[in-house]
Structures are given as structure tokens and as C-alpha cells.
Amino acid sequence: MATPQPSTSAQPPASSGQIPTDFKVYRPPNSVGTAPIPALSDDYFTPTTADLRQAQATLSARTNALVNAPLQLKATREAAEKSKRDRWPETRIRVKFPDQTQLEKKFPSTDKIRSVYAFVRACLRDDVKPIKFILYQTPPKRDLKVSDPKVRDLSLVDLQLAPSSILLLRFEDESLNHDKAPAPLLPSILAQSVDVPVPAPPPEAPPQAESSRPKASTSSTQTSSEKKIPKWLKLGKK
């Protein structure tokens, strides 16, 4: 008689696959024990001339790409997409829950968005797995629904998610979307959570080097001025 197999009803669906090990979980930034983010000076938020030039160049490049897109040949577009895939073979996706808990994982850039959905669903508690959710970006808001043919058939690089992107998560059950509601992740997932890496503070601006040229003293200046006075003028003052 065959030995009965243990029930697998509590395991993730077959389509979701096993929970991967190559991922990260970040606690909400306001969790106890999280190191405070250092305060940044006002100068840090003031764009430099180089920042403005770079922003203008990026805006111009995007504008030109939109204007000239209809003129590109199919072969040119395919070559450009292949170049992106070769440059970014992997895409880092960070999924942020309403309470700011974050899941992070690398995917092959050729994967579809359904791979991200399957990963997130496999990490959810068993009672939450059946609840539908939507991954989206903002701003501007863009829903990445698997039911949308314009989304599901495109790779991550085609969706402009490479090399890295942050996606927000919204459940159909509004009670799970409250910012005070803990992320409904498996206990084994939450046990691996760590603090969000604190960004390094901006480097302090080096003190401006003073001119190595010594400043002339007032007395020296006056002496020099007196030396420049014509001799006949000095005689006239006597």
C-alpha cells in the first residue's frame, strides 16, 4: 500500500513556484531600531549648473525620441531594444507595500511582468494569496496589469523597467491598503527583513582655497602711492 503523501494545500500554487532565496526584504523606515536618516542641508537640494545641463540634455533626448519615433525603421527599433537587453541583462524590481515594507528581487530583463506577480504572490500569507492585487508606478500613475495585452506581452526592458524600478502594490481588499496595515507576508519572509540601507550623506564641499598671493598691507599701499607722486608735486606741498 502506498504511503500517503502530506497535504500541499498550504503551499504556494504551482504557477507561483517555490519561494526564491535570492531576494531581500526591507522593513518600513519607521520601524523600531531603524537608523535615522541624516538631515541634509539646503545646498544638497539646490541643483548645480551641471545638474541643470544634464536634466536639459535628458529632456531634449526624450523629446527627440518621441518626435522621431514614427520615422524609425523596424530594424532600427529592434536593434535599439537588443542593445538595451544586452546592456541590462537583469532588472532589479523593488515592490513597496502600503506600510512601506519592500520586497526586492532581480529578474532577467526578458521576463514578463507576470514573473514579478508570481514572486510577490508566493511571498504572501496563505489567507491573502487569493486576493487580487495590482502593481503600478507613479508619477505618472501607470497600472501594470497582467490582463492588459499592452503590458503582459512585453518584457521588463520593453516596459522601461530596466535596469531598476520601484513598483507600488494595491490590493482589491481596501483593508489591506491602509498605511498602518502590516504587509501580509509569510512569517518566513518577514523573518529575513532588514533595515532599508541609509544613503550616504553628501560629501562636504571642500573649503575654497584662498589666493596664495599675499595681500598688500595698507601701509605698503600708502607707501607705494607716495612713491608714485611726482617730485614737483611734493615740492609744491611744502
Side-chain angles (χ1 to χ4, degrees):
M1 182 176 179
T3 304
Q5 298 295 324
S7 174
T8 58
S9 58
Q11 299 298 323
S15 59
S16 299
Q18 297 298 323
I19 299 176
T21 56
D22 55 339
F23 69 96
K24 297 179 182 178
V25 190
Y26 296 115
R27 302 186 188 101
N30 58 352
S31 295
V32 177
T34 302
I37 299 177
L40 301 176
S41 62
D42 293 339
D43 295 340
Y44 178 76
F45 299 97
T46 303
T48 62
T49 303
D51 294 335
L52 295 175
R53 289 177 179 175
Q54 183 177 4
Q56 181 62 35
T58 302
L59 181 60
S60 299
R62 290 180 178 178
T63 302
N64 292 334
L66 292 174
V67 172
N68 299 328
L71 304 179
Q72 288 184 337
L73 298 176
K74 180 180 179 181
T76 304
R77 292 196 300 270
E78 292 178 350
E81 294 302 326
K82 183 179 183 300
S83 176
K84 290 182 180 179
R85 290 191 295 269
D86 294 341
R87 183 179 180 184
W88 300 310
E90 290 184 325
T91 299
R92 185 191 305 271
I93 299 294
R94 184 177 290 187
V95 178
K96 184 179 293 187
F97 285 75
D99 73 334
Q100 304 303 306
T101 297
Q102 302 178 58
L103 281 174
E104 181 182 294
K105 179 175 167 43
K106 289 183 179 179
F107 298 87
S109 294
T110 54
D111 274 11
K112 307 293 193 298
I113 193 65
R114 67 173 66 95
S115 297
V116 184
Y117 273 87
F119 162 67
V120 175
R121 190 171 297 281
C123 295
L124 297 176
R125 294 197 316 257
D126 296 331
D127 60 313
V128 181
K129 280 183 172 64
I131 301 176
K132 294 182 179 180
F133 61 88
I134 295 175
L135 299 177
Y136 66 98
Q137 285 183 308
T138 186
K141 187 175 181 181
R142 178 174 69 141
D143 288 347
L144 300 172
K145 298 181 179 179
V146 179
S147 58
D148 186 353
K150 296 180 180 179
V151 173
R152 73 184 180 203
D153 297 332
L154 298 180
S155 65
L156 298 179
V157 69
D158 294 334
L159 290 172
Q160 307 300 321
L161 298 179
S164 62
S165 294
I166 295 179
L167 303 182
L168 305 181
L169 182 145
R170 182 178 71 252
F171 287 99
E172 284 192 352
D173 185 348
E174 288 298 330
S175 64
L176 297 174
N177 294 329
H178 197 276
D179 59 357
K180 300 299 182 182
L185 297 172
L186 290 169
S188 58
I189 301 294
L190 292 174
Q192 304 180 48
S193 60
V194 296
D195 293 334
V196 178
V198 178
E204 295 183 0
Q208 294 182 354
E210 295 184 0
S211 176
S212 59
R213 194 172 182 179
K215 295 181 179 180
S217 62
T218 306
S219 59
S220 300
T221 305
Q222 291 176 351
T223 304
S224 177
S225 301
E226 291 177 358
K227 289 181 178 179
K228 294 181 180 180
I229 296 177
K231 192 172 183 180
W232 61 266
L233 182 58
K234 289 183 179 181
L235 294 175
K237 290 182 177 181
K238 292 181 179 179

